[in-house]
Amino acid sequence: MPGSVASPRLRLADDNRAAMGAEAAGDAEDPRSHWFNAFGAVRRETERRAALLSAEDQVVQSMPDASPTKWHRAHVTWFFEQFLLRPHDKNYRAFDERFAYLYNSYYVSAGPRQARPRRGLITRPSADEVTEYRRHVDTAVLRLIETADNLAELAPIIEIGLHHEQQHQELLLTDILHAFSLNETHPAYDPHWQWPQPTRANRAGARSAAPLAGIHTIGHGGNGFCFDNEQPAHEVMVQPVRLASALVTNGEWLEFMAEGGYTIPRLWLSDGWGTVEAEAWQAPGYWSNVDGAWFSMTLGGLSPIDPSQPVCHISYYEADAFARWAGKHLPSEAEWEVAVQNERLADAFGIVWQWTRSAYAPYPGYQAAPGALGEYNGKFMVNQIVLRGSSFATPDGHARATYRNFFYPSARWQFTGLRLAEYQG
Ligand SMILES: [Fe+2]
C-alpha cells in the first residue's frame, strides 16, 4: 500500500498541490509539463485513497446514492476516455468497449448506462482489471499531453476531468464510510484518522462577525478553473446580517437534542418532519448511543462525540430545524460568499461543508456548456440545496469561495455541518 491517509486532514503531497494550483500554470512551467504533472498527481491521489481498501470493500454499494470504490475508480477513468481520448486521439483504442455501459454515470448523450442502484452488482471486472484500465488510460492521456499539437484546445477537457476526479475522491470516502457504518464491527478506513481540529477562532465560539450589507458581486469572474454553475458573476443585494464566525458544534447539537429538538414538530419543515418520522432520526447521521454516551462512526471507526468539534452528518432539514430552535437562520449562499470575501468566517474550508438556505438554481444568465459536458451541472438545478466551503475530505486545491456544492435536503452521508446567520433589526 502506498501509505495511509494523512491525519487529521487529507492532503495532496506538496508537489501535487502545486501541480493543480494556478501558479503552476504560469510562466515557470510550460503547459505540457503542467498538465503532465497535474494529471499524474490527481490520478495518484485517487489510488492512494483506494489503497486502504480491499477488493471486497471496493465492490459494495450500501445504498443507491453511494457508489462502490471500484466504480468511482473506473468512472473517473471513463470520463477521460469518453470526453478526451475518443474524440481527440485518433490512435486511441478502448481498453474494453463494454466499460462505457458500466461506467457512464448520468450522461444521457454519451449512451446507455448501468442503473445507478445496480453499480454494486458489477463484480466483474475485478479491482485488478480496473487498475489495468486506469493504467491504459493514464498512458494514453500522458502520451496525448506530450504529443498533441492542439494542447490548448484539449486543456479545458483535461482540467474538468481532473476536477471531476477530485470530486469523486471525496465521494469515495463518504461512500465507504456509509458502507462501514452498516457493519456492526465498525471497521476503520484508516485507524489513524482523527477529526480535523477547528481553529481557535472557532473554538472561542459563537462570536458573530461584523455585519455585512449592501450590493456585492458573487460568482466566478476571474481567472482559474471554475465549474459552469459558478457563472456568471453578478451583483446581489445583502441585507444587514451577521454570520457566526464559528461552525455549530456537537455540544450545541447535544443541547438541541436535550431540549427535544427531534421531537418538536413546529421546529421542522413539513418534509423534514416527515423524514424524522420515517427514518426515526434522533441524532445526526452515524451517531449511536452506547450506555448513555454518544459515539459517531468515522473514518477512524467508532469514536466518542467531542462536544467542542463541529457537528457533522447533518441534513438540510436538521440544519434548518436547529437554526429555528436557536432563533436564528441559515445564511444564503450569497451571504456566505460575501462573508468569505471579507474574511469574516473561521473554518469556511477544510472541516465540514456548510448548508445554506439557498435552492440550487441557475445564476442570472447561466448557460450550460455545449455538448455532453453540459449535463455536468445544469440539469440538476432543481429540488436541491447549496452547500458552501469544503470538508476535510475535499482534496486541497479543489474548492474556492465561489464553489457551489449541492445535495438533496435529506442527505446526510456527506461531511456536512452548518453555521448560523442573524439579521439586524
Ligand atoms: Fe462523475
CSV table of all heavy atoms in Angstrom, one decimal, residues 71-72 75-76 78-79 103 105-107 164-165 167-168 171 376, ligand 1:
chain,number,residue,atom,x,y,z
A,71,TRP,N,-16.1,1.3,-8.6
A,71,TRP,CA,-16.9,2.1,-9.7
A,71,TRP,C,-16.3,3.5,-9.8
A,71,TRP,O,-16.1,4.0,-10.9
A,71,TRP,CB,-18.4,2.1,-9.3
A,71,TRP,CG,-19.2,2.7,-10.4
A,71,TRP,CD1,-19.8,2.0,-11.5
A,71,TRP,CD2,-19.5,4.1,-10.6
A,71,TRP,NE1,-20.4,2.9,-12.3
A,71,TRP,CE2,-20.3,4.2,-11.8
A,71,TRP,CE3,-19.2,5.2,-9.9
A,71,TRP,CZ2,-20.8,5.4,-12.3
A,71,TRP,CZ3,-19.7,6.4,-10.3
A,71,TRP,CH2,-20.4,6.5,-11.5
A,72,HIS,N,-16.1,4.2,-8.6
A,72,HIS,CA,-15.5,5.5,-8.7
A,72,HIS,C,-14.2,5.5,-9.5
A,72,HIS,O,-14.0,6.4,-10.3
A,72,HIS,CB,-15.2,6.0,-7.3
A,72,HIS,CG,-16.4,6.5,-6.5
A,72,HIS,ND1,-17.3,7.5,-6.9
A,72,HIS,CD2,-16.9,6.1,-5.3
A,72,HIS,CE1,-18.2,7.7,-6.0
A,72,HIS,NE2,-18.0,6.8,-5.0
A,75,HIS,N,-15.1,5.0,-13.2
A,75,HIS,CA,-15.9,6.0,-13.8
A,75,HIS,C,-15.1,7.3,-14.1
A,75,HIS,O,-15.2,7.8,-15.2
A,75,HIS,CB,-17.1,6.4,-12.8
A,75,HIS,CG,-17.7,7.7,-13.1
A,75,HIS,ND1,-18.4,8.0,-14.2
A,75,HIS,CD2,-17.6,8.8,-12.4
A,75,HIS,CE1,-18.8,9.2,-14.1
A,75,HIS,NE2,-18.3,9.8,-13.1
A,76,VAL,N,-14.2,7.7,-13.2
A,76,VAL,CA,-13.4,8.9,-13.5
A,76,VAL,C,-12.4,8.6,-14.6
A,76,VAL,O,-12.0,9.5,-15.3
A,76,VAL,CB,-12.6,9.3,-12.2
A,76,VAL,CG1,-13.6,9.9,-11.2
A,76,VAL,CG2,-11.7,8.3,-11.6
A,78,TRP,N,-13.2,6.4,-17.2
A,78,TRP,CA,-14.1,6.5,-18.4
A,78,TRP,C,-14.3,8.0,-18.8
A,78,TRP,O,-14.4,8.2,-20.0
A,78,TRP,CB,-15.5,5.9,-18.0
A,78,TRP,CG,-16.6,6.2,-19.0
A,78,TRP,CD1,-16.8,5.6,-20.2
A,78,TRP,CD2,-17.5,7.3,-18.9
A,78,TRP,NE1,-17.9,6.2,-20.8
A,78,TRP,CE2,-18.3,7.3,-20.1
A,78,TRP,CE3,-17.8,8.3,-18.0
A,78,TRP,CZ2,-19.3,8.2,-20.3
A,78,TRP,CZ3,-18.8,9.2,-18.2
A,78,TRP,CH2,-19.5,9.2,-19.3
A,79,PHE,N,-14.4,8.9,-17.8
A,79,PHE,CA,-14.6,10.3,-18.2
A,79,PHE,C,-13.5,10.8,-19.1
A,79,PHE,O,-13.8,11.4,-20.1
A,79,PHE,CB,-14.6,11.1,-16.9
A,79,PHE,CG,-15.1,12.5,-17.0
A,79,PHE,CD1,-16.4,12.9,-16.7
A,79,PHE,CD2,-14.2,13.5,-17.4
A,79,PHE,CE1,-16.8,14.2,-16.8
A,79,PHE,CE2,-14.7,14.9,-17.5
A,79,PHE,CZ,-16.0,15.2,-17.2
A,103,TYR,N,-19.7,2.2,-16.8
A,103,TYR,CA,-19.1,3.4,-16.0
A,103,TYR,C,-19.5,4.7,-16.4
A,103,TYR,O,-19.0,5.7,-15.9
A,103,TYR,CB,-17.5,3.2,-16.0
A,103,TYR,CG,-17.1,1.9,-15.4
A,103,TYR,CD1,-16.3,1.0,-16.1
A,103,TYR,CD2,-17.5,1.6,-14.1
A,103,TYR,CE1,-15.9,-0.2,-15.5
A,103,TYR,CE2,-17.2,0.4,-13.5
A,103,TYR,CZ,-16.4,-0.5,-14.2
A,103,TYR,OH,-16.0,-1.7,-13.6
A,105,SER,N,-22.0,7.6,-15.9
A,105,SER,CA,-22.9,7.8,-14.7
A,105,SER,C,-24.2,8.3,-15.1
A,105,SER,O,-25.2,7.6,-15.1
A,105,SER,CB,-22.2,8.9,-13.8
A,105,SER,OG,-21.8,10.0,-14.6
A,106,TYR,N,-24.3,9.6,-15.6
A,106,TYR,CA,-25.6,10.1,-15.9
A,106,TYR,C,-25.6,10.9,-17.2
A,106,TYR,O,-26.5,11.7,-17.5
A,106,TYR,CB,-26.1,11.0,-14.8
A,106,TYR,CG,-25.1,12.1,-14.4
A,106,TYR,CD1,-24.8,13.2,-15.2
A,106,TYR,CD2,-24.6,12.1,-13.1
A,106,TYR,CE1,-24.0,14.2,-14.8
A,106,TYR,CE2,-23.7,13.1,-12.7
A,106,TYR,CZ,-23.4,14.2,-13.6
A,106,TYR,OH,-22.5,15.2,-13.2
A,107,TYR,N,-24.6,10.7,-18.1
A,107,TYR,CA,-24.5,11.4,-19.4
A,107,TYR,C,-25.4,10.7,-20.4
A,107,TYR,O,-24.9,9.8,-21.1
A,107,TYR,CB,-23.1,11.5,-19.8
A,107,TYR,CG,-22.3,12.3,-18.8
A,107,TYR,CD1,-21.7,11.7,-17.7
A,107,TYR,CD2,-22.2,13.7,-18.9
A,107,TYR,CE1,-21.0,12.5,-16.7
A,107,TYR,CE2,-21.5,14.5,-18.0
A,107,TYR,CZ,-20.9,13.8,-16.9
A,107,TYR,OH,-20.2,14.6,-16.0
A,164,HIS,N,-13.2,16.8,-11.8
A,164,HIS,CA,-14.2,15.8,-11.7
A,164,HIS,C,-13.7,14.6,-10.8
A,164,HIS,O,-14.3,14.2,-9.9
A,164,HIS,CB,-14.6,15.3,-13.1
A,164,HIS,CG,-15.5,14.1,-13.1
A,164,HIS,ND1,-15.0,12.8,-13.5
A,164,HIS,CD2,-16.8,13.9,-12.7
A,164,HIS,CE1,-16.0,11.9,-13.3
A,164,HIS,NE2,-17.0,12.5,-12.9
A,165,GLU,N,-12.5,14.2,-11.1
A,165,GLU,CA,-11.9,13.1,-10.3
A,165,GLU,C,-11.7,13.5,-8.9
A,165,GLU,O,-11.9,12.7,-8.0
A,165,GLU,CB,-10.5,12.7,-11.0
A,165,GLU,CG,-9.9,11.5,-10.2
A,165,GLU,CD,-9.2,10.5,-11.1
A,165,GLU,OE1,-9.2,10.6,-12.4
A,165,GLU,OE2,-8.5,9.7,-10.6
A,167,GLN,N,-13.7,15.5,-7.2
A,167,GLN,CA,-15.0,15.4,-6.6
A,167,GLN,C,-15.2,13.9,-6.2
A,167,GLN,O,-15.7,13.6,-5.1
A,167,GLN,CB,-16.1,15.8,-7.5
A,167,GLN,CG,-16.1,17.3,-7.8
A,167,GLN,CD,-17.2,17.8,-8.7
A,167,GLN,OE1,-17.5,17.1,-9.7
A,167,GLN,NE2,-17.8,18.9,-8.4
A,168,HIS,N,-14.8,13.0,-7.0
A,168,HIS,CA,-15.0,11.6,-6.7
A,168,HIS,C,-14.1,11.1,-5.6
A,168,HIS,O,-14.4,10.1,-4.9
A,168,HIS,CB,-14.9,10.7,-8.0
A,168,HIS,CG,-16.2,10.7,-8.8
A,168,HIS,ND1,-17.2,9.9,-8.6
A,168,HIS,CD2,-16.6,11.6,-9.8
A,168,HIS,CE1,-18.2,10.1,-9.4
A,168,HIS,NE2,-17.8,11.2,-10.2
A,171,LEU,N,-16.1,11.6,-2.7
A,171,LEU,CA,-17.3,10.7,-2.6
A,171,LEU,C,-16.8,9.3,-2.3
A,171,LEU,O,-17.5,8.5,-1.6
A,171,LEU,CB,-18.0,10.7,-4.0
A,171,LEU,CG,-18.7,12.0,-4.4
A,171,LEU,CD1,-19.2,11.9,-5.8
A,171,LEU,CD2,-19.8,12.3,-3.4
A,376,TYR,N,-23.2,18.2,-17.0
A,376,TYR,CA,-22.4,18.1,-15.7
A,376,TYR,C,-23.2,18.7,-14.5
A,376,TYR,O,-23.3,18.0,-13.5
A,376,TYR,CB,-21.1,18.8,-15.9
A,376,TYR,CG,-20.0,18.3,-14.9
A,376,TYR,CD1,-18.9,17.6,-15.3
A,376,TYR,CD2,-20.1,18.6,-13.5
A,376,TYR,CE1,-17.9,17.2,-14.4
A,376,TYR,CE2,-19.2,18.2,-12.6
A,376,TYR,CZ,-18.1,17.5,-13.1
A,376,TYR,OH,-17.1,17.1,-12.1
B,1,FE,FE,-18.8,11.7,-12.1
